[in-house]
Amino acid sequence: MSSAPDEAFSKLEAAPILDACTRIRLGRQLQALYSQVLDEGLDMRLTALLQQLDQDDPAPESV
């Protein structure tokens, strides 16, 4: 019986691979699609929540 991580890994191995031109074109299209969203400011409540999470969770130790 295989475990879930093993199954996920085997699915990744079978995933199609995009060539460099396709990745660049896809990246540009996604940037164009989401550029307006990236320029929007965060809601003050969300900003406060993210700051609280940063304070509550110490940075991971480097190995």
Side-chain angles (χ1 to χ4, degrees), residues 2-15:
S2 64
S3 65
D6 291 337
E7 291 174 13
F9 184 72
S10 64
K11 287 180 184 178
L12 287 175
E13 288 179 336

Side-chain angles (χ1 to χ4, degrees), residues 2-3 5 9 16 18-19 22 28 31 39-40 47 53 57 60-61 63:
S2 64
S3 65
F9 184 72
L18 302 176
D19 62 23
T22 302
R28 288 181 181 155
Q31 285 176 337
D39 292 337
E40 292 179 11
T47 302
L53 288 171
D57 188 23
E61 296 178 17
V63 176

Side-chain angles (χ1 to χ4, degrees), residues 43-56:
D43 183 273
M44 293 303 294
R45 294 173 293 175
L46 181 56
T47 302
L49 179 60
L50 290 172
Q51 289 173 346
Q52 181 182 354
L53 288 171
D54 282 340
Q55 291 171 357
D56 292 346

